[in-house]
Structure formats: C-alpha cells, structure tokens
Amino acid sequence: MSPRSKCDLQPVLRIDFPNEEKIGRGKMQLLEHIRETGSISAAGRAMDMSYRRAWLLVSEMNAMFAQPVVDSQRGGKQGGGAVVTAFGETLLQRFRDMEKKIETALASDLAWLDANRSVTKSR
C-alpha cells in the first residue's frame, strides 16, 4: 500500500438559521447549476433531483433573505428560465469563501486526522 500523498478529508459547511432554515453545499451547488443552465429544471436534473425539489429549494432560499437569490420566469412562447440574482451571486461567493477559510483554518487538524485514520477502510 502506498501512503496517501494529500489529505482527502473535507470539512462541510452548513449554516443553520434560528428558524430551522439552512444553507449548505447542496443549495450552493444548485445555484451554480442554475447559473450555468439558466433553468431550475435543468439544474435539478444535473443534481439528480426532481424539478419540484429544486423549485422548493430555490423558494426556501428566496424566502430566507431580504433579496431574492434566484429570479425565475414561467414558461410560455419564449419558454421559462431562471437567473441567479446579483445578491445570489454574492451569497454564493461568500459561501465559497467561508468554505476556503474553514479548510485553511482546519488544514493541520485534517492532516492529523488523515495521518491517523486506518488505511484498510474502504470508501
């Protein structure tokens, strides 16, 4: 067995709001897919979730903040669509920045955990 060359442990950030609302990497990933596809439906498909589930997550995020995170347009002659708002882009960037800060702050602890975990355990 060869020793691991890089720590592959990953901290996961989730922010719990007092009223039981949450944001985490799943919702942020959904925002990234909406930005890439311009569609809540396509973003949901990219994450292997139903349109309804994706729409509910977007609705939750829009209700969590004073400004909308995603603007959507119903279908019609031109078809529907969705766009991550400027506020949503800022939210996404700040969340990704928080993740980087956590990784940096915990790097030595994660390296220690990685060095001391069993190599025989499969993932």
Side-chain angles (χ1 to χ4, degrees):
M1 282 185 220
S2 63
R4 287 182 289 278
S5 60
K6 182 183 173 215
C7 179
D8 58 356
L9 301 180
Q10 192 71 34
V12 177
L13 175 62
R14 184 182 83 186
I15 309 293
D16 293 346
F17 287 66
N19 55 0
E20 297 187 25
E21 296 171 321
K22 300 168 180 52
I23 59 169
R25 65 183 180 175
K27 286 178 180 168
M28 296 302 108
Q29 187 177 25
L30 182 62
L31 288 180
E32 289 171 333
H33 285 295
I34 291 170
R35 180 176 58 199
E36 291 168 11
T37 64
S39 164
I40 294 171
S41 178
R45 280 193 304 274
M47 295 180 69
D48 199 28
M49 73 173 67
S50 70
Y51 170 76
R52 177 171 166 68
R53 177 73 180 138
W55 186 87
L56 288 171
L57 292 173
V58 167
S59 182
E60 281 178 29
M61 286 188 282
N62 280 341
M64 290 172 72
F65 299 100
Q67 299 177 54
V69 176
V70 173
D71 276 336
S72 61
Q73 199 173 31
R74 285 189 166 187
K77 287 183 180 180
Q78 278 74 41
V83 64
V84 177
T85 64
F87 175 79
E89 290 288 350
T90 301
L91 171 66
L92 182 56
Q93 185 58 54
R94 291 183 74 105
F95 188 88
R96 295 301 185 209
D97 289 346
M98 286 187 273
E99 287 179 318
K100 289 175 190 167
K101 289 175 187 174
I102 287 172
E103 284 181 33
T104 300
L106 298 179
S108 65
D109 294 314
L110 293 173
W112 181 86
L113 287 171
D114 192 46
N116 287 287
R117 66 185 176 141
S118 173
V119 248
T120 59
K121 304 242 178 185
S122 62
R123 284 163 229 186

